[in-house]
Amino acid sequence: MNAADLGLPVDVPSTALFTDQYELTMLQAALRGGTADRRSVFEVFTRRLPEGRRYGVLAGVGRVLDAVENFRFDPAVLGFLRERGIVDEPTLEWLARYRFTGDIWGYPEGEVYFPGSPVLRVEGSFAECVLLETVILSILNHDSAIAAAASRMSAAAGGRRLIEMGARRTHELAAVAASRAAYVGGFDSTSDLAAGFRYGIPTVGTSAHAFTLLHDSERDAFRAQVESLGRGTTLLVDTYDVAEAVRTAVEVAGPELGAVRIDSGDLLLVAHRVRQQLDELGARDTKIVVTSDLDEYAIASLAAAPVDAYGVGTQLVTGSGHPTCSMVYKLVARASSADLRAPLTPVAKKSLGGKASVGGRKWAARRPDAYGVAEAEVLGTGPVPLELADHQLLVELVKGGDVVAREPLEAARARHIAARAALPMSAMQLSRGEPVLPTEYL
């Protein structure tokens, strides 16, 4: 199931104003100057990974495809632009007919990337491509940051289940995107019903401390929950005394109790005590879920604890300290005229301060070693070497304005697991370090 199947129930009618004003003023100047129709190639990449990160995770590709399809200047949007005097009438007339008719290639969603990786390549006229810059970067920078944090947490969890529960810690629509990105990065479920509704992500949730406090006793609260949701429910056991709550939970639900949740205290110590107590009470199959401001480091510290699942909120939806990937959208090649046969000329920004870019329409491949483990991210503008032909990363996403590579979210999630597994083992280290693969230019 994807956004198209569900009719975009939480989206806006048009994505055209999810942009910066200078995109439109550049368009106006290019139309007036006669350069708007020049064939152009833009690439999305990051010059560096966030400090300490060994790899990036591309997420949001499916949302980019939706955004491109919905990039339309309807009468209300055109009226706003006219009222504000943002662009002139000839430009408004051009915008009224706008439809992206170019091609988009990119890394498939869930793939990992490194500095310089051309994760998205947008080709068409300058006019139609330049308008998409801000919305593409907005989606990819946010979603990829969340997916990278989720991937690190997933690696640290070592196969234990992960629940995304950060909706209350971010903007309501950002929460839906964050749930989606977290699922791509390895999380198993979400507490956010909007994300479940739109993307088919499994949803979970039972009760909060307020439900216990509502009742005259903890026993009354547990009994009400079990009678309503069944013995397989998860009972929150740290409202008052944890040991007493665990005892009461098993008395009320029996050994068939699904799980208990711990949301405070020394989780490592408390989890061991709760596991021992549950086993002594005969509830050996009852799971333990821990929450409470977890991040990848806290999850890793609980590796030796008898924990079955982790619930993560704030640190996940804020990218665990890195809420953006610093991706940029740069013109790397353009023709000297609107003639489709005109050759492309590489162009690049030359700048001090680390903001220089590499010109030319690029291909990308990931070279494996003799054991099939990735050893380098290889980029080039000329012919693809024969030995790298079967290891290319870019796939066609949009052809002639039509989306050709929409896929279920499960495919992106599975792809990420496979891509991460093909990296050197040091990629899973949480300690600070350089990107696990070097980027080579041919």
Side-chain angles (χ1 to χ4, degrees):
M1 186 177 293
N2 56 41
D5 297 330
L6 295 171
L8 304 176
V10 296
D11 213 356
V12 295
S14 169
T15 54
L17 291 186
F18 288 170
T19 191
D20 292 304
Q21 181 168 315
Y22 79 170
E23 315 290 8
L24 299 187
T25 53
M26 280 193 288
L27 168 66
Q28 176 177 308
L31 288 171
R32 183 172 297 182
T35 55
D37 291 332
R38 288 186 175 184
R39 182 179 166 214
S40 300
V41 179
F42 288 82
E43 289 178 353
V44 177
F45 61 93
T46 185
R47 296 184 177 94
R48 64 192 64 85
L49 297 180
E51 184 180 357
R53 296 290 168 89
R54 306 298 181 91
Y55 59 94
V57 180
L58 183 64
V61 174
R63 296 210 307 123
V64 165
L65 299 180
D66 292 339
V68 170
E69 283 190 330
N70 289 301
F71 205 89
R72 303 283 188 270
F73 291 85
D74 57 35
V77 170
L78 293 169
F80 164 78
L81 297 176
R82 180 177 290 109
E83 178 185 344
R84 295 290 181 93
I86 292 172
V87 290
D88 59 20
E89 282 299 323
T91 304
L92 290 172
E93 292 175 9
W94 189 94
L95 291 173
R97 302 187 300 273
Y98 179 83
R99 297 290 186 274
F100 180 73
T101 62
D103 302 328
I104 299 178
W105 289 70
Y107 284 32
E109 188 158 18
E111 184 58 83
V112 298
Y113 67 86
F114 298 91
S117 296
V119 295
L120 204 72
R121 189 175 72 217
V122 183
E123 304 183 30
S125 71
F126 176 85
E128 64 180 340
C129 294
V130 74
L131 293 181
L132 299 176
E133 175 181 7
T134 302
V135 69
I136 286 176
L137 290 180
S138 176
I139 292 171
L140 295 185
N141 269 313
H142 174 269
D143 289 22
S144 298
I146 306 304
S151 179
R152 285 163 60 87
M153 294 174 188
S154 173
R160 295 173 178 177
R161 299 188 69 78
L162 289 163
I163 306 164
E164 184 279 314
M165 48 195 306
R168 62 191 61 194
R169 304 300 187 204
T170 188
H171 185 279
E172 64 272 19
L173 295 183
V176 181
S179 294
R180 183 186 183 283
Y183 193 67
V184 170
F187 272 59
D188 300 285
S189 57
T190 179
S191 65
D192 190 348
L193 291 178
F197 174 61
R198 182 171 180 189
Y199 296 117
I201 301 170
T203 58
V204 297
T206 51
S207 68
H209 292 103
F211 186 76
T212 300
L213 296 170
L214 169 68
H215 292 79
D216 296 333
S217 70
E218 199 165 43
R219 182 179 295 273
D220 288 345
F222 288 172
R223 183 180 296 113
Q225 184 174 328
V226 170
E227 288 178 354
S228 174
L229 302 178
R231 296 177 185 272
T233 192
T234 298
L235 296 176
L236 181 58
V237 294
D238 72 326
T239 305
Y240 305 116
D241 178 82
V242 172
E244 181 61 29
V246 171
R247 185 178 303 109
T248 302
V250 176
E251 289 176 357
V252 170
E256 299 85 12
L257 175 62
V260 296
R261 178 162 74 94
I262 307 166
D263 189 50
S264 59
D266 183 336
L267 297 179
L268 180 62
L269 176 63
V270 175
H272 277 288
R273 289 177 175 174
V274 168
R275 182 72 270 161
Q276 180 179 356
Q277 186 180 9
L278 287 169
D279 291 347
E280 291 173 350
L281 293 171
R284 296 183 176 277
D285 294 328
T286 299
K287 308 297 184 184
I288 296 176
V289 180
V290 297
T291 52
S292 185
D293 293 327
L294 298 177
D295 61 10
E296 60 265 48
Y297 300 101
I299 291 171
S301 74
L302 292 168
V307 172
D308 300 287
Y310 306 93
V312 190
T314 303
Q315 291 301 317
L316 178 62
V317 299
T318 57
S320 195
H322 297 289
T324 181
C325 303
S326 299
M327 290 180 180
V328 294
Y329 184 96
K330 296 298 180 184
L331 182 66
V332 297
R334 54 86 174 170
S336 58
S337 72
D339 188 339
L340 295 178
R341 297 167 297 180
L344 290 171
T345 301
V347 295
K349 177 180 178 180
K350 294 182 179 179
S351 173
L352 300 177
K355 285 197 170 184
S357 56
V358 178
R361 181 180 184 272
K362 299 173 197 67
W363 52 262
R366 188 163 300 142
R367 187 175 69 233
D369 64 15
Y371 300 95
V373 178
E375 65 176 12
E377 194 87 340
V378 186
L379 313 180
T381 57
V384 180
L386 185 61
E387 66 272 17
L388 294 176
D390 293 334
H391 302 287
Q392 295 187 73
L393 294 163
L394 292 160
V395 299
E396 193 169 29
L397 302 171
V398 176
K399 183 176 183 178
D402 295 325
V403 174
V404 295
R406 186 169 273 115
E407 63 182 6
L409 196 57
E410 291 288 349
R413 173 182 166 86
R415 180 180 296 113
H416 174 62
I417 294 172
R420 190 176 67 186
L423 295 176
M425 292 183 65
S426 57
M428 303 306 109
Q429 294 176 350
L430 297 181
S431 57
R432 294 187 180 277
E434 297 299 314
V436 72
L437 297 186
T439 302
E440 300 178 359
Y441 289 90
L442 298 182

